[in-house]
Amino acid sequence: GASLSIRRSPVVLSELAGSFVFTQDSLSAERIDARLWDAPVHLELQTETGADGRVTRIGAGGSVGVPTLEQRFHNRLLSKVAGPVPLELDLRIRNADILSKPNLPIVYRLSSDLDGVVLNLPRPLGKSPGQRKTLDLSGTLVLGSGLSAECQLGNLNAGLTFEYDPGDHIMRLKEINTPRLQLGPFVLRDLQVQSIATGDAWVVQMKTRDLEGVWTIPGDPADTPIQLH
């Protein structure tokens, strides 16, 4: 079937099925079935006119498996997640930017109630499959560069920075910033976390209002101890 991709991004849709309506200056579709990274999704497209001129809105919904997310985002935190992840994605692209800006900016919002998902993380981040916990990511993706996101997970708010590897079409989490994080009896204020890949390991630099340190996390933590300085 037909396929659709957003250049210099990890977004690749395949097996498109449905009807598009084209006019001289608009595009719309009420329902398009497709596959995103081999997971079934449904799409709707609409051209809207507002203060920024004509904007193409793409809405998508479906469920994506954790192994697929691990392939695309290469984040060790995903090893603590189990179950298919239900997602709703909203993308907005200014029509005037499509031809005028080589690094196309895309405004996005990704949300989920994480129904059926297990998060094997300390409180307040963890959850059982029967619980619902709101996940909301929003920001701007700049094609060929990376993205910054405002993240809300339950009552936790954080800023995330991802870098994009155009060769492998992979997003890697680079930095986390949050004003307050409580993990059991520990409260971390003004937390800043930066991660750097070094061969088979990750060097994680952590800084808070009260302390700072460096973690070295091996590629196979089952066989190698984690070092903390």
Side-chain angles (χ1 to χ4, degrees), residues 46-56 92-95:
Q46 186 174 359
T47 299
E48 303 171 347
T49 302
D52 292 332
R54 293 190 178 277
V55 175
T56 296
R92 295 176 183 269
I93 305 170
R94 290 182 68 245
N95 290 13

Side-chain angles (χ1 to χ4, degrees), residues 70-152:
E70 288 180 316
Q71 291 175 3
R72 295 293 174 178
F73 289 92
H74 277 217
N75 190 291
R76 298 188 189 283
L77 284 176
L78 289 170
S79 66
K80 303 298 183 181
V81 182
V85 181
L87 299 174
E88 295 290 333
L89 178 63
D90 185 86
L91 304 176
R92 295 176 183 269
I93 305 170
R94 290 182 68 245
N95 290 13
D97 292 340
I98 294 175
L99 297 178
S100 64
K101 295 186 178 180
N103 296 329
L104 181 67
I106 300 175
V107 177
Y108 71 90
R109 181 173 184 177
L110 184 149
S111 59
S112 174
D113 61 9
L114 300 179
D115 186 28
V117 177
V118 177
L119 299 180
N120 294 310
L121 296 168
R123 296 179 62 187
L125 305 178
K127 68 173 291 292
S128 66
Q131 293 176 306
R132 293 196 177 192
K133 186 185 289 283
T134 300
L135 171 66
D136 191 279
L137 291 170
S138 61
T140 300
L141 166 66
V142 179
L143 297 186
S145 177
L147 66 86
S148 296
E150 291 299 318
C151 172
Q152 178 181 348

